[in-house]
Amino acid sequence: MLNLIKYSILWEFINRIIYLINKQDRSYNSRYCSNIHAAIITVFYMYHLFIDNFEDNTCNQINILSAGYVTFDLYRAISSKEYEYILHHFVMIFAIMPCILLDYGYDMIPLHYYYLIARAYLAESSTIFLNNCWLLIKNNKKNSIKFLINSSLLLLMFFFFRIINFSIILYEIIILEYNYFILIHLPLTCLNYIWFYKLLKKTQEVFIKNI
């Protein structure tokens, strides 16, 4: 638990540094923090899933780092009354909780649990393009080529890593009877379906508007 607090403070420190650079509010700068978190998670798990041998002890610290970020961003979500994000963040914390408990001698977690978390974390790759689109809209660059590229990559990555990937993981954990993980993964999967539907509707509106 001490590591969770330590990493939450670290993310707050990063947020303050970004503020000193651009003088923007917490909501705006949270997108940069989110991108930093997403980049770290994506590179780390892409490497450990597809290049290096996957081991639970190499993933524990990065999972706690991520839990620290989620705890840090939860304050913003609660302040902004973003209820979908609040649900998402609480579920994320409960998903990573066994990894935090491992620091205190709870060593009965199967390796496959870490593997499933790693695969689920690949969804963070789409977050980078989501934040880029949000920042471009805020800076009145909705009609730019950058926005077109980022929005296209967002839909592609979201569909592959958050719809297909999460659906397969959900099927696997039901077969494996990981009851705890089912309770966590099911609401996240449902949220991804809802968010993808909203993304498709938004894309359709933009497309019709530009015809």
Side-chain angles (χ1 to χ4, degrees):
M1 197 62 66
L2 183 62
N3 280 336
L4 177 62
I5 297 171
K6 178 180 69 177
Y7 284 127
S8 298
I9 294 172
L10 173 64
W11 284 108
E12 180 61 34
F13 179 70
I14 293 171
N15 180 69
R16 295 294 176 91
I17 291 175
I18 296 172
Y19 172 77
L20 290 175
I21 295 172
N22 62 13
K23 303 299 182 182
Q24 296 287 346
D25 61 26
R26 190 182 187 90
S27 178
Y28 189 95
N29 289 337
S30 70
R31 301 291 173 165
Y32 288 107
C33 289
S34 178
N35 269 359
I36 293 169
H37 169 261
I40 293 171
I41 292 295
T42 300
V43 171
F44 179 87
Y45 278 122
M46 283 286 188
Y47 175 76
H48 281 282
L49 283 170
F50 302 116
I51 299 175
D52 194 20
N53 293 325
F54 187 85
E55 296 180 1
D56 56 353
N57 59 344
T58 60
C59 301
N60 195 33
Q61 284 301 315
I62 202 74
N63 287 338
I64 300 175
L65 170 69
S66 180
Y69 164 75
V70 173
T71 305
F72 152 78
D73 196 55
L74 185 60
Y75 170 77
R76 178 200 59 79
I78 293 173
S79 300
S80 303
K81 297 181 180 179
E82 297 178 355
Y83 299 112
E84 290 178 1
Y85 280 98
I86 293 171
L87 173 61
H88 173 271
H89 286 4
F90 270 117
V91 173
M92 283 277 292
I93 291 171
F94 281 114
I96 306 168
M97 190 61 68
C99 305
I100 298 172
L101 292 175
L102 182 63
D103 253 10
Y104 292 84
Y106 188 79
D107 56 357
M108 300 299 291
I109 305 168
L111 177 60
H112 198 68
Y113 183 83
Y114 287 91
Y115 175 71
L116 291 174
I117 288 180
R119 281 174 51 192
Y121 260 131
L122 294 180
E124 283 298 305
S125 59
S126 65
T127 302
I128 297 171
F129 303 107
L130 175 65
N131 289 328
N132 289 348
C133 287
W134 189 91
L135 289 167
L136 286 166
I137 290 171
K138 286 293 181 179
N139 288 284
N140 298 316
K141 294 181 179 180
K142 193 174 181 179
N143 297 320
S144 66
I145 295 176
K146 286 183 179 179
F147 183 81
L148 177 62
I149 293 171
N150 277 279
S151 57
S152 299
L153 289 172
L154 169 60
L155 285 173
L156 180 65
M157 301 293 277
F158 200 105
F159 178 70
F160 186 78
F161 287 114
R162 289 185 180 266
I163 302 301
I164 295 178
N165 181 42
F166 264 65
S167 299
I168 293 172
I169 294 174
L170 182 60
Y171 171 77
E172 288 185 21
I173 62 178
I174 291 173
I175 296 298
L176 292 168
E177 297 183 352
Y178 284 176
N179 295 327
Y180 175 77
F181 201 50
I182 291 172
L183 292 174
I184 292 169
H185 195 76
L186 184 59
L188 284 179
T189 304
C190 291
L191 274 176
N192 283 329
Y193 288 153
I194 293 169
W195 286 338
F196 190 64
Y197 171 73
K198 289 181 177 181
L199 282 174
L200 288 176
K201 281 197 69 176
K202 197 68 178 178
T203 302
Q204 185 181 31
E205 290 173 7
V206 172
F207 179 74
I208 293 172
K209 187 177 180 180
N210 290 333
I211 292 178

